[in-house]
């Protein structure tokens, strides 16, 4: 409980002031940006260091991937403070990292990567987030824009009907307790065995859509009750289902390996996660960790960073429950994939096989994974060694290079596909992972555009704007559950994802392969 | 007295709730939460749910209370519109929540709230009580 002095915190941050003093906020924002520019040290055109002495308790420096223009956007909110806070986690190695799409989250910044040692570091549910394994699935088709255009409205309507979406909207599946356990254990495999999708989909998913170590006994009854009605639903907010078309190919051979032939080809992108099941797993374990930090003598600058040693019973239980959440999300995207195929079949009167609807890849961008990476050994100077780490990617995508044993056989020669959705009005990107990412970011890169404007600010500045009409004028068909939801997700609220992927490309942590633009947008 | 005031956050949404006593403050925070989800003027107090939560301190109690309400919404579509806090103190809260289940014909939904966070969480006694909380949306 706070005292009188602490209570001033209620209005401490400029972003918390009422709208009436907006003008003052602009001045304060500029000051905040300048303050941050003074605090960071420029390493090169695309890297900035937040020195370890910036804040007491930092165990490693921070590293931000951005150019100067992007740094000035990042400096407007509290995300760099969050990079510093994450650097205080026990057992963190390398750097507390921020991708160029970083923005202010709760606890961890969104767009953050933090790797901790398995033997003496911590795992933090906040470093994964409430939406465990929020991620992206990309499907390709053999259809072209010319073929889809005359049936676009019909297709988008069919997809909207086939895939339940929206706030408080349940799914078509009814699962009993036993069945849920199987979902939690087997992920996308469960869905395929129930007839949702193809076995060939599975090998093209990160972790084959089934994270090992899942233990359903570590998931309580509440996550199940919340999740059961929501399997096979898109949700709302920034989740979406998009029909997209290839606009540009930067690396034709690499694209070809993904089954992407060139301009005009139609793709489908699905962005959703583990729904209420994941949210409740995170809540339950945050409560566990909140109690554990005292037991383990861990001191944190933000309660939302609550954590426990990876090797502790609390840490192990969380990882086993988180894997269940991740598997639920993969099952969710697998079911949706199946319904997308059905909707295309209904509209084009051809089988999914004839339409060539195949999975390109599926990434998790909110997850913690136990991985081996080469890190410099502090005791022996520059000598590097392979260490087992718990890599937290919170709004960041794994980006493994060609030849890595964890990536599918089809992509061994090109590197892991990285799926980077932009905002619904502009474009999205498909990239591949690199050796540079392996060396520098524990094999990670950005995950999307990154929000720039709060939802309320977007509402204010766009009030009355006909977002649907604006999209339709550009040939984009829209089906949305709410007008407000559409407004909040308008392009203006986001950074330009092209700018984000240019930075990751120039920094060398992922390389652009394909640019796509939306044809049809479905939002909850 | 104003029940609550929304606060801005880049990716998420938050509120500061007010109350003459702690119970009213918690009740108003719940009103603020459901106001993010739907227009509460259209929600009828037809059914009641008993909510009990326990936590180590007042701040965590607020998080658990709001999360319990989110659980009611996610698991059965229950929208609360009247929150009678029967007992609050010593890390315990007991309340009777009146509302009804989501009816897409009558209720327009706004924002999907995923969870209540501990980020910048604060419950303080000043001009009565005020609570600041940020939701993941």
């Amino acid at each position: 409980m706070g005292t009188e002095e602490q209570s001033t915190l209620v209005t401490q941050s400029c972003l918390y002031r009422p709208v009436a003093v907006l003008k003052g906020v602009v001045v304060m924002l500029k000051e905040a940006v300048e303050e941050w520019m003074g605090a960071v040290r420029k390493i090169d055109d695309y890297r900035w260091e937040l020195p370890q002495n910036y804040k007491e308790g930092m165990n490693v420096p921070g590293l931000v991937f951005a150019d100067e223009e992007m740094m000035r956007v990042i400096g407007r909110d509290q995300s760099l403070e969050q990079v510093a806070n994450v650097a205080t986690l026990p057992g963190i190695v390398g750097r507390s990292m921020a991708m160029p799409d970083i923005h202010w989250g709760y606890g961890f910044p969104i767009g953050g990567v933090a790797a901790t040692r398995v033997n003496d570091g911590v795992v933090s549910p906040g470093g994964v987030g409430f939406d465990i394994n929020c991620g992206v699935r990309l499907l390709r088709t053999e259809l072209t824009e010319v073929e889809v255009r005359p049936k676009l409205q019909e297709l988008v309507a069919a997809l909207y009907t086939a895939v339940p979406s929206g706030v408080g909207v349940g799914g078509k599946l009814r699962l009993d307790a036993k069945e849920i356990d199987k979902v939690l254990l087997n992920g996308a495999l469960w869905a395929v065995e129930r007839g949702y999708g193809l076995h060939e989909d599975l090998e093209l998913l990160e972790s084959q859509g089934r994270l090992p170590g899942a233990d359903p006994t570590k998931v309580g009854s509440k996550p199940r009750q919340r999740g059961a009605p929501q399997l096979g639903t898109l949700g709302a907010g920034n989740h979406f289902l998009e029909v997209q078309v290839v606009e540009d190919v930067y690396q034709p051979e690499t694209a070809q390996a993904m089954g992407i032939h060139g301009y005009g080809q139609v793709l489908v992108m699905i962005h959703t996660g583990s729904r209420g099941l994941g949210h409740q797993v995170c809540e339950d374990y945050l409560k566990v960790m909140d109690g554990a930090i005292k037991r383990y003598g861990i001191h944190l600058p933000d309660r939302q960073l609550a954590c426990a040693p990876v090797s502790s019973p609390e840490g192990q239980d969380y990882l086993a429950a988180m894997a269940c959440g991740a598997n639920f999300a993969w099952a969710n995207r697998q079911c949706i994939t199946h319904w997308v195929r059905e909707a295309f079949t209904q509209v084009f009167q051809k089988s999914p096989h004839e339409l060539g609807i195949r999975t390109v890849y599926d990434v998790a961008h909110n997850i913690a994974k136990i991985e081996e990476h080469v890190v410099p050994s502090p005791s022996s100077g520059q000598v590097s060694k392979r260490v087992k780490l718990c890599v937290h990617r919170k709004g960041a995508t794994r980006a493994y290079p060609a030849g890595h044993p964890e990536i599918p056989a089809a992509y061994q020669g090109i590197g892991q596909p990285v799926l980077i959705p932009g905002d619904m009005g502009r474009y999205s990107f498909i990239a591949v992972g690199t050796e540079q990412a392996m060396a520098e970011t524990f094999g990670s890169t950005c995950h999307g555009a990154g929000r720039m404007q709060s939802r309320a600010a977007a509402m204010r500045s766009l009030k009355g704007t006909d977002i649907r009409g604006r999209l339709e004028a550009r040939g984009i068909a829209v089906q949305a559950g709410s007008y407000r939801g559409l407004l909040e997700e308008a392009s203006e609220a986001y950074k330009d994802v092209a700018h984000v992927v240019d930075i990751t490309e120039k920094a060398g942590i992922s390389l652009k392969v394909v640019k796509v633009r939306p044809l049809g947008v479905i939002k909850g | 007295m104003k029940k609550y005031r929304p606060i801005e956050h880049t990716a998420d949404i938050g509120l500061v709730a007010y109350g003459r006593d702690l119970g009213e403050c918690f009740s108003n925070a719940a009103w603020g939460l459901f106001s993010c989800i739907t227009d509460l003027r259209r929600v009828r107090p037809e059914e009641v749910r008993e909510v009990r939560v326990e936590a180590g301190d007042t701040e965590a109690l607020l998080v658990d209370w709001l999360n319990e309400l989110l659980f009611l919404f996610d698991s059965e579509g229950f929208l609360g519109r009247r929150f009678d806090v029967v007992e609050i103190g010593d890390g315990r809260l007991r309340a009777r929540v009146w509302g009804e289940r989501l009816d897409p014909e009558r209720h327009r939904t706004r924002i999907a709230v995923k969870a209540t966070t501990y980020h910048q969480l604060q419950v303080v006694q000043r001009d009565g009580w005020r609570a600041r909380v940020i939701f993941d949306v």
Side-chain angles (χ1 to χ4, degrees):
Chain A
M1 213 172 291
T3 63
E4 186 61 28
E5 292 91 282
Q6 285 172 312
S7 72
T8 53
L9 272 173
V10 170
T11 50
Q12 182 199 47
S13 160
C14 57
L15 288 165
Y16 280 38
R17 301 213 167 202
V19 188
V21 288
L22 254 189
K23 214 170 144 193
V25 171
V26 174
V27 175
M28 290 174 79
L29 274 179
K30 277 189 185 153
E31 284 171 9
V33 170
E34 290 313 318
E35 231 178 281
W36 279 118
M37 294 309 279
V40 293
R41 183 179 72 81
K42 186 171 177 175
I43 299 170
D44 61 27
D45 286 348
Y46 305 101
R47 288 172 179 82
W48 303 73
E49 186 186 72
L50 187 61
Q52 201 174 329
N53 63 11
Y54 167 74
K55 186 171 197 164
E56 206 186 310
M58 283 171 73
N59 293 317
V60 294
L63 174 64
V64 184
F65 290 88
D67 57 16
E68 186 157 342
E69 189 191 340
M70 190 64 89
M71 273 311 282
R72 289 182 176 277
V73 175
I74 294 169
R76 286 191 213 160
D77 64 24
Q78 295 297 305
S79 46
L80 292 172
E81 194 67 39
Q82 295 189 318
V83 172
N85 290 345
V86 169
T88 68
L89 289 177
I92 185 170
V93 295
R95 302 279 186 273
S96 166
M97 278 176 284
M99 296 300 142
D101 49 337
I102 182 183
H103 56 275
W104 190 16
Y106 42 88
F108 272 65
I110 297 160
V113 177
T116 51
R117 284 184 298 268
V118 164
N119 64 5
D120 64 346
V122 294
V123 59
S124 172
V128 173
F130 289 99
D131 199 357
I132 295 166
N133 189 5
C134 184
V136 183
R137 168 84 63 115
L138 182 70
L139 311 175
R140 62 187 160 96
T141 75
E142 293 300 328
L143 291 164
T144 62
E145 182 178 4
V146 177
E147 293 166 294
V148 169
R149 177 65 65 191
K151 294 199 163 192
L152 185 59
Q153 294 292 347
E154 194 189 333
L155 175 64
V156 169
L159 288 166
Y160 187 71
T161 308
V163 181
S165 63
V167 183
V169 175
K172 305 186 256 191
L173 303 170
R174 291 291 166 262
L175 303 171
D176 61 28
K178 260 190 183 165
E179 202 67 9
I180 285 233
D181 273 6
K182 289 180 189 160
V183 174
L184 302 184
L185 265 178
N186 294 330
L189 174 64
W190 170 86
V192 169
E193 285 180 343
R194 288 291 171 280
Y196 302 106
L198 311 168
H199 275 280
E200 65 166 51
D201 291 330
L202 299 176
E203 56 200 77
L204 295 164
L205 317 178
E206 181 173 330
S207 300
Q208 291 81 49
R210 184 177 185 242
L211 202 60
D215 180 354
T217 67
K218 302 300 180 193
V219 176
S221 67
K222 284 169 83 177
R224 292 158 193 268
Q225 284 177 59
R226 257 179 103 167
Q230 295 183 339
L231 185 63
T233 63
L234 199 57
N238 65 354
H239 292 161
F240 65 79
L241 171 59
E242 269 187 19
V243 180
Q244 304 174 331
V245 59
V246 175
E247 174 149 287
D248 218 339
V249 177
Y250 308 100
Q251 299 186 53
E253 279 177 31
T254 307
Q256 198 65 50
M258 297 181 197
I260 298 172
H261 322 307
Y263 183 86
Q265 185 176 352
V266 170
L267 309 175
V268 179
M269 192 177 267
I270 302 160
H271 176 217
T272 186
S274 51
R275 315 289 292 112
L277 185 127
H279 309 164
Q280 190 70 41
V281 165
C282 183
E283 275 175 39
D284 290 353
Y285 279 92
L286 272 171
K287 204 172 156 87
V288 170
M289 300 300 188
D290 196 51
I293 50 176
K294 292 167 206 139
R295 262 196 308 287
Y296 294 106
I298 299 167
H299 299 282
L300 299 167
D302 183 342
R303 204 168 174 180
Q304 187 68 29
L305 294 174
C307 54
V310 178
S311 56
S312 68
E314 295 89 345
Q316 288 296 305
D317 287 356
Y318 169 68
L319 283 170
M322 184 214 68
C324 290
N327 290 342
F328 186 92
W330 271 309
N332 193 31
R333 291 196 289 274
Q334 184 63 38
C335 293
I336 293 173
T337 295
H338 176 67
W339 294 322
V340 166
R341 285 183 170 126
E342 285 191 342
F344 268 80
T345 294
Q346 182 197 322
V347 172
F348 293 96
Q349 295 293 311
K350 280 184 181 170
S351 72
H353 182 73
E354 287 170 300
L355 294 168
I357 308 177
R358 320 275 290 261
T359 295
V360 175
Y361 201 62
D362 182 306
V363 296
H365 57 220
N366 279 0
I367 204 157
K369 292 177 109 175
I370 307 298
E371 300 173 359
E372 272 191 20
H373 288 275
V374 177
V375 292
S377 165
S379 52
S380 48
Q382 287 307 304
V383 183
S384 298
K385 57 174 187 175
R386 290 191 76 79
V387 182
K388 233 183 191 183
L389 301 175
C390 177
V391 183
H392 301 73
R393 297 190 182 94
K394 165 92 172 280
T397 316
R398 198 184 70 175
Y400 279 177
H404 194 286
E406 281 283 309
I407 63 179
Y411 303 137
Q412 279 294 320
I414 61 166
Q416 178 214 306
V418 176
L419 311 174
I420 308 160
D423 62 76
M424 63 183 178
R426 285 183 277 193
Y427 29 65
S428 298
F429 289 88
I430 301 155
V432 281
T434 64
E435 285 292 347
Q436 180 67 30
M438 224 46 203
E440 204 177 356
T441 60
F442 307 106
S444 315
T445 189
C446 62
H447 86 305
R451 268 197 98 88
M452 185 165 75
Q453 229 181 18
S454 74
R455 286 159 212 269
M459 286 288 287
R460 271 198 307 276
S461 62
L462 294 166
K463 200 158 191 165
T465 310
D466 179 12
I467 298 288
R468 182 191 300 270
R470 204 170 70 172
L471 290 169
E472 282 170 354
R474 296 181 38 225
I476 303 168
V478 188
Q479 283 275 351
S482 88
Y483 171 72
R484 183 180 169 139
L486 213 52
L487 258 192
E488 291 176 353
E489 293 297 314
S491 300
E492 286 88 340
Y494 285 88
K495 297 180 191 178
D496 182 354
V497 72
H499 190 187
V500 170
V501 295
D502 275 343
I503 292 165
T504 50
E505 167 130 344
K506 285 178 176 139
I509 56 175
S510 55
L511 302 174
K512 285 190 291 186
V513 181
V514 175
K515 181 185 185 184
V516 299
R517 65 181 156 79
L519 279 183
V521 176
I522 287 132
K523 293 196 76 87
Chain B
M1 189 183 195
K2 207 170 164 181
K3 286 181 196 277
Y4 76 98
R5 159 174 82 76
I7 51 180
E8 285 187 41
H9 182 280
T10 314
D12 300 311
I13 200 161
L15 58 86
V16 177
Y18 309 95
R20 280 162 299 195
D21 53 47
L22 193 59
E24 189 180 47
C25 180
F26 272 49
S27 165
N28 286 342
W31 176 276
L33 166 64
F34 279 108
S35 296
C36 294
I37 299 172
T38 193
D39 182 352
L40 284 185
R41 287 171 303 185
R42 289 169 172 267
V43 176
R44 301 168 185 155
E46 282 178 347
E47 297 174 43
V48 67
R49 298 286 183 278
E50 282 276 339
V51 174
R52 287 165 192 264
V53 286
E54 281 184 37
D57 54 75
T58 310
E59 269 98 358
L61 191 67
L62 177 68
V63 169
D64 286 0
W65 155 242
L66 297 173
N67 278 342
E68 192 62 31
L69 297 173
L70 278 176
F71 172 74
L72 285 178
F73 176 63
D74 250 6
S75 57
E76 51 166 318
F78 185 80
L79 292 161
R81 67 106 60 223
R82 199 180 112 196
F83 312 90
D84 299 339
V85 176
V86 181
E87 181 197 333
I88 187 165
D90 295 330
R92 280 219 314 253
L93 177 148
R94 194 158 63 81
R96 291 166 69 78
V97 181
W98 294 83
E100 64 173 323
R101 288 184 190 221
L102 176 74
D103 173 1
E105 297 291 312
R106 285 188 296 115
H107 304 128
R108 281 183 62 180
T109 52
R110 292 173 169 167
I111 291 171
V113 180
K114 291 176 186 165
T116 315
T117 77
Y118 291 88
H119 181 54
Q120 301 196 337
L121 174 68
Q122 198 177 57
V123 181
V124 292
Q125 195 165 11
R126 196 176 72 183
D127 309 329
W129 286 85
R130 54 179 68 190
R132 180 182 63 193
V133 65
I134 300 201
F135 302 110
D136 179 23
V137 298

